[in-house]
Amino acid sequence: MQRPSGGDIPALMASLRSTPDYEIPSGCFDEVFDEDGEPRPHVTSLIASLQRLGPDALAAAGRRRDTIFMQQGITFEVAGSDGERRDRAWPLDLVPRVLTAVEWTAIKRGLAQRIRALNAFVDDVYHAHEIVRAGIVPWSLVVSRPSFARPVHGVRAPGGVYCHVSGCDLVRGGDGRWRVLEDNVRTPSGISYVLENRLAMTRLMPELFAGLRVRAVDHYPMLLLDALRSVAPAADGDPNIVVWTPGPLNAAYFEHAFLARQMGVELVEASDLVVRDAVCYMRTTAGLQRVHTIYRRLDDDFIDPLEFRPDSLLGVPGLVRAYRAGTVAIANAIGTGVADDKAIYHYVPEMIRFYLGEEPILDNVPTYLLSDEAVRREVLTRIGELVIKPTSESGGKGVFIGPQASAAERDRQARLIESQPDRFIAQELVHLSTAPTETGDGRLKPRHVDLRPFAVFGEEIRIVPGGLTRVALQEGSMIVNSSQGGGSKDTWVLDDGTVGDLAPGTLPAHRPPRLPDVRYGGWHGQAQQQQQMGRPDAGPWMLPPRAERSPGILKRSLRRPEAGRG
């Protein structure tokens, strides 16, 4: 694609560069314009298409989008100013974000590396605790995380895969470099909106695809279904897969129903499932039907009232017992939340070095643990410059942005930190990159964006090209979460003819082989016997005696399970 000459640059975008209406915030990287105000080469075709379309047609397409989304139930639940929760049309901005094939290759390699390390960490903290013994991650930190699941300590997930679906949040700072802002390996949401965004764009804005080869994303449901089948216990015929939803009142219910429909599997609630003799079944009009893999979309605390919250009405009694017995696979595995706690995030680069023997491809945002008194004092002196986050929250809840806070808000946050330092982390403020965003009247203005790519870990790690670009619709805001009023963009990865979504070299060397009739779940005999005998040192929250670290990850993986007792 040739770059147009200066006289061919569309008037719409040229005017954006030269007027206050499109003023890129100081210190920010813009996805469309470079530091000289010129369009980046890979978006010149898109710019020309937007100019031909014009503001009026863009605004009209936005109105059609909202009508269609509401009619089809493509909605997201948000709280209104009166406290009432209402459905609104999924907020899709009709100006896509475009990534080159080269930068996408670097992103997917970095994500695959990170997911391998996080998966190894989850396995380690519920078994051998080698990263703890090596003095890298404190055991007191691990065991104090609300998402550390004691009931599954000693239980190995089928196939050695815990993080079946991952959605790491990436940001691009003022220097143009990509960094990981957060890891999401519990029940990451948003992939259905990626697929619906692309479908909507092809119908509402087909003109924008002219002259561009954009990688497809509609194969995700089959990638997910293959991954869920790959970890299913041995079955006569095809394994029975279900998507487990908390119910229609859940904010992401549309996604649950969408994925079940796209994969051709049943959407179930707790009342549809029952456990008999440590085997999970689904109630049907023809009787009980065994379930082999559950793609669950609710948190650990609500899964089984016999093991977690006893007041949960959303759970299935005995499900954890079936999981321990290895008769059912659960994706993502119970207990994976310990890996995406914001305090644990601080240690991910060291995890990559420890488990993989590699240097991180994608950097963390500089992060400070406030449990350290010296660090806490330094953070409190700079609270007006930093971002403070609760360690165990998600969806942008409780995030404090120092530069945007008043003096009273800074004082209140400082008191919270002093009273509960373990509950918070501090991060350097990243000036999120900006992208042209339609403001409702066909005009384009810069708004801050991030990116949540989705990876599926089955036989290998596959990453859907692009992902969910989330955009802060309010001017100056850097809170992009949909639950906090943010929107989204279709993310286009340009196709240069190279390999698509498979990230080369992503298979973990320590993964157990997939064999028929082998149960990977189940407590090993010695630990189970100690639990039953009531040994005071046998609880999963007790740190085992210190031992020497094994020479390598492959050697560690081949030891008998008894050697990794926690």
Side-chain angles (χ1 to χ4, degrees), residues 235-281:
D236 295 329
D238 290 335
N240 189 25
I241 315 294
V242 299
V243 176
W244 182 13
T245 177
L249 296 180
N250 187 270
Y253 180 75
F254 163 77
E255 176 159 299
H256 309 163
F258 175 89
L259 290 175
R261 183 172 65 252
Q262 293 294 314
M263 290 190 291
V265 304
E266 295 292 337
L267 180 69
V268 301
E269 298 181 34
S271 59
D272 299 314
L273 302 176
V274 63
V275 174
R276 302 274 177 86
D277 298 326
V279 177
C280 184
Y281 297 92

Side-chain angles (χ1 to χ4, degrees), residues 366-378:
T367 302
Y368 311 106
L369 299 183
L370 302 183
S371 54
D372 184 301
E373 185 177 355
V375 172
R376 185 166 67 251
R377 285 200 302 267
E378 174 66 20

